[in-house]
Amino acid sequence: MEKHPLRWWALAVAVLAVLVDMIDNQIVAVALPTIQRELGTGDSALQWISAGYALGFALTLITGGRLGDRHGTKKLFLAGMVVFTGASLAAGLAGHVGVLIAARVIQGVGSGLMVPQVLSFIHSEFDEKERPKAMTFYAGAFPIGGLAGPLLGGVLTQANLFDTGWRAIFLVNLPIGVLALIGALVTMPSRPGFFRHRLDFGGLLLLTAGLFAVFYPLVQGRELGWPTWSIVLMVAAIPLFAIFALHQRMLAKRGGEPLVPPALLKYRSLSGGQAVMLCINTAVGVFFILTLHLQLGLGFSPLEAALTFAPSTIGIVAGNVMGMQLAPKLGRAFTAVSIVVLLASLVAIAIVVQVLGKDLNIWALLAPVIGFGLGMGAVLNSLFGVSMSEIQMQQAGAASGLVNTTVQLGTATGIALFGTVFFSRLGTGFEYATVSAIAVSAGVLVLALLFTTALPGKKQAAQAAEKTGEHAEASAR
């Protein structure tokens, strides 16, 4: 296939879209107390505003990737950007919290349509010599977006540009979205889809129903006094997920294309990796609570709250470097040690919050925040590598979609779970409520530590790394 002359410019547009997605995933956290004050929302609404984006993203990722394969990456990228930009406008103009929550979910759907196209574009438009450089630009969007999101959210909320207040965190997406749309129209090649995937709408409906049965009562149940229907609905999630799993197996036997191909789950590295990854991303959701603690409990400004957690990026970058060097050599031992670092840092944060009380400050949290970032960067890097280590080349797209969906579902689960714990304990004081949420997060990390026993050991990791290298060589030839 002939190289597209504007492919590097098109990559810049695609990476910009990923950067905006990462920023938008994080930008809302520090603005939540301001949103609550101005819209007069309940506590559960704060959880929906944050978790709704991740849920919309998670439910669309796999389908978005397959739609791109079928109709072409450019068409789906443009469609996703239009949805995302339109939802950003709706969020910025929202006068009611219900509209804001709906807009956040639709933003996630737009990202779920758009983001999978970026990797497809890189693999189809860049040869084996150019691809590592292209992937470096792509990967760089994640830590930059993770750092810029909270900081930008704090700056925009506090600056109150043109008297827009918190609305600026969504309205800022409009010029960026328009720029990305024009850039994609001009620079991206219009190539037809290469695969005629049959979309698993039945599986998507069952998965959505199961997740709704978990998340809706988990978030709303506390405010409503845990009515009987909320408990029944949560219990109903078990048979719904069982039916989903059965549907996936039956569809695969008939030669269809299920959302989660059962054949992938036979790989110990992938199935075990997803169990650990779900726990890790759930545990990280406790930072949603820490942000509320700083602002609602201690009176931090949005910018001060953002600056408190910004140093975690230093740890994330260092952890990523360590993961690339050591994870393939040490296997699950490296993953386990990284989780222990996460756990120790989280315990240190809880102790500082409890001991200092109202005297808590940025400097007291500096070391444990960097330590938490170090553990997170290391463990996620190792888990991404482990999860994909046994996957065949033709399965890479489906496996990548599954991994990214797990990340988003973990994020949404953490916000819902810890938000419920925090708000239910708030009557006893901010310190107690926050430490209670951190204690549950620590329990989730202990569960993750137990799940590491299902990961490949040192010898298996080395063999998998060698196998991955052979696949890369075969692909290059």
Side-chain angles (χ1 to χ4, degrees):
M1 185 170 62
E2 185 180 350
K3 290 184 178 180
H4 187 64
L6 298 177
R7 63 191 180 281
W8 288 105
W9 287 103
L11 177 65
V13 173
V15 170
L16 174 64
V18 175
L19 184 63
V20 170
D21 162 66
M22 281 301 300
I23 289 173
D24 218 72
N25 206 351
Q26 304 288 332
I27 200 171
V28 74
V30 295
L32 287 175
T34 306
I35 293 173
Q36 184 180 41
R37 186 169 59 251
E38 293 191 10
L39 292 185
T41 67
D43 296 332
S44 63
L46 301 184
Q47 295 165 265
W48 285 120
I49 293 168
S50 288
Y53 182 91
L55 278 175
F57 196 175
L59 288 169
T60 317
L61 264 169
I62 296 176
T63 301
R66 291 182 181 173
L67 285 171
D69 289 341
R70 184 170 185 169
H71 299 289
T73 56
K74 181 175 182 177
K75 289 181 181 178
L76 264 293
F77 182 88
L78 291 171
M81 183 56 78
V82 167
V83 171
F84 178 85
T85 306
S88 297
L89 176 61
L93 299 178
H96 187 274
V97 68
V99 175
L100 179 56
I101 292 170
R104 286 288 288 168
V105 173
I106 296 171
Q107 272 188 316
V109 169
S111 292
L113 294 175
M114 175 176 57
V115 171
Q117 315 315 320
V118 180
L119 272 179
S120 297
F121 172 77
I122 290 173
H123 281 280
S124 62
E125 299 298 332
F126 295 91
D127 59 30
E128 63 273 9
K129 293 181 180 178
E130 296 175 327
R131 204 170 292 148
K133 183 178 178 181
M135 286 297 295
T136 299
F137 289 128
Y138 170 74
F142 291 91
I144 293 173
L147 173 63
L151 288 176
L152 189 59
V155 169
L156 290 174
T157 302
Q158 200 161 320
N160 195 25
L161 296 174
F162 307 108
D163 202 31
T164 56
W166 60 267
R167 299 176 187 277
I169 69 175
F170 301 116
L171 297 176
V172 73
N173 292 331
L174 301 184
I176 298 174
V178 171
L179 181 64
L181 282 169
I182 295 172
L185 283 168
V186 172
T187 63
M188 277 191 173
S190 297
R191 304 194 191 279
F194 296 102
F195 304 101
R196 296 297 173 190
H197 289 298
R198 288 166 287 181
L199 301 178
D200 181 15
F201 287 115
L204 181 61
L205 183 62
L206 285 168
L207 181 59
T208 302
L211 291 174
F212 176 82
V214 172
F215 281 96
Y216 187 77
L218 181 62
V219 174
Q220 295 295 144
R222 182 195 59 82
E223 283 192 356
L224 299 174
W226 297 109
T228 303
W229 64 261
S230 66
I231 307 299
V232 171
L233 192 58
M234 292 185 77
V235 172
I238 298 173
L240 282 170
F241 285 131
I243 295 170
F244 169 74
L246 180 62
H247 171 80
Q248 299 297 280
R249 287 197 295 269
M250 292 177 64
L251 186 59
K253 285 182 180 179
R254 295 198 303 266
E257 297 184 50
L259 281 179
V260 183
L264 289 179
L265 300 181
K266 71 180 182 181
Y267 296 112
R268 177 181 172 184
S269 56
L270 181 64
S271 56
Q274 294 318 283
V276 179
M277 192 174 289
L278 182 65
C279 290
I280 295 298
N281 283 280
T282 297
V284 170
V286 80
F287 273 81
F288 165 77
I289 299 306
L290 291 170
T291 301
L292 296 180
H293 177 83
L294 293 180
Q295 293 189 68
L296 297 178
L298 302 179
F300 278 39
S301 70
L303 183 56
E304 286 173 331
L307 288 172
T308 300
F309 300 120
S312 65
T313 308
I314 299 171
I316 291 172
V317 172
N320 266 300
V321 173
M322 290 174 59
M324 286 187 287
Q325 298 291 329
L326 299 176
K329 300 175 183 177
L330 301 178
R332 64 170 172 249
F334 178 83
T335 305
V337 170
S338 301
I339 294 173
V340 170
V341 172
L342 268 176
L343 188 56
S345 301
L346 199 58
V347 170
I349 291 173
I351 292 173
V352 170
V353 168
Q354 184 67 51
V355 171
L356 293 184
K358 296 293 183 182
D359 296 323
L360 183 68
N361 57 67
I362 291 177
W363 301 110
L365 288 170
L366 181 62
V369 163
I370 293 176
F372 195 89
L374 179 69
M376 186 167 63
V379 74
L380 289 181
N381 183 286
S382 68
L383 287 173
F384 276 115
V386 166
S387 296
M388 301 297 288
S389 62
E390 294 180 290
I391 300 300
Q392 305 299 314
M393 285 180 290
Q394 65 271 21
Q395 299 171 311
S400 178
L402 177 60
V403 169
N404 285 300
T405 298
T406 301
V407 170
Q408 297 300 326
L409 285 178
T411 300
T413 301
I415 292 169
L417 176 61
F418 304 132
T420 299
V421 173
F422 175 79
F423 290 121
S424 65
R425 298 288 188 272
L426 203 52
T428 57
F430 274 96
E431 287 83 9
Y432 182 76
T434 300
V435 170
S436 296
I438 293 175
V440 177
S441 178
V444 175
L445 286 177
V446 171
L447 186 61
L449 198 58
L450 294 174
F451 282 146
T452 59
T453 57
L455 298 177
K458 182 177 178 180
K459 183 177 179 180
Q460 293 166 306
Q463 291 173 342
E466 184 180 342
K467 187 178 178 182
T468 303
E470 292 172 359
H471 285 161
E473 276 184 37
S475 179
R477 288 197 296 267

